Amino acid sequence: DGKNVAVNSVPLSAEEFAAFYKNSHGLDFASVKITPSVMESTMMVQNGQVDAAITPVAATAEYFARENKDLGTVTSDIQTDVAIALDAKNTALQQELNGAIQTLKDNGTIDKLVAEWIDDVSADSLKAEPAEKIEGADTLYIGISGDVVPLDYVSADGSPAGFNVALMTEIGKLLNKNIEFVVVSTDAKFSSILSGKIDAFFWHVSILPLPETIAVTDSYYSTYISAIVKK
């Protein structure tokens, strides 16, 4: 309350974002800056331009705090669920993805992926693992931002990695589909879906609204909105 904050690529203006938190949670931010990436928001914290960088994924805040000794985290009690966004008209794909997510929950695969790719992961352990192509199978084009480490990450050579990539690889095996990852900036995620550039995009289903043209799958990971702060 009363702090200057940065937040990356939300589907709201800075004024709308501030008004939402004030009306819903009684938080009256002094100012809100919208940035294109968590990295840029984090740098603003380090440079003293803002007091905190808000992220919808606690693991992201924790990751940046582990990698930067001058940073710490504050975790709220506001829950946010992570899911996959897609064109609202593509109900067939939505059903396929929901079925795969449920199977991976039931057989313990998602829990294993969380342990491997989210819990205490470091920059050194974020390695890309390209999946083998399935001969003759259809291809799903999945957008990632590379901006929500360790959920999704894009290395300097352009290779995608992280929890979302590992999860989508497992989904591809279940659906017998090849997965091709497309790096898309977070502010272009919805337009990329609706234009057909990608079939789906990893999205953080928090308390913020989505366009009516966009649908989401069932959640595959639950977390809490957090803030990256300077120690």
Side-chain angles (χ1 to χ4, degrees), residues 187-208:
D187 56 353
K189 52 188 174 284
F190 298 145
S191 61
S192 295
I193 291 172
L194 296 175
S195 68
K197 179 180 179 180
I198 56 176
D199 296 301
F201 186 95
F202 290 104
W203 175 246
H204 311 102
V205 186
S206 64
I207 47 182
L208 298 178

Side-chain angles (χ1 to χ4, degrees), residues 36 42 72 82 86 93 95 104 107-109 111 119 129-130 159 162 184 209 219 221 228:
T42 300
V82 184
L86 68 164
L93 178 59
Q95 291 173 359
L104 295 174
N107 66 19
T109 298
D111 288 339
D119 295 343
E129 296 182 359
S159 300
V184 176
S219 169
Y221 178 68
I228 302 166

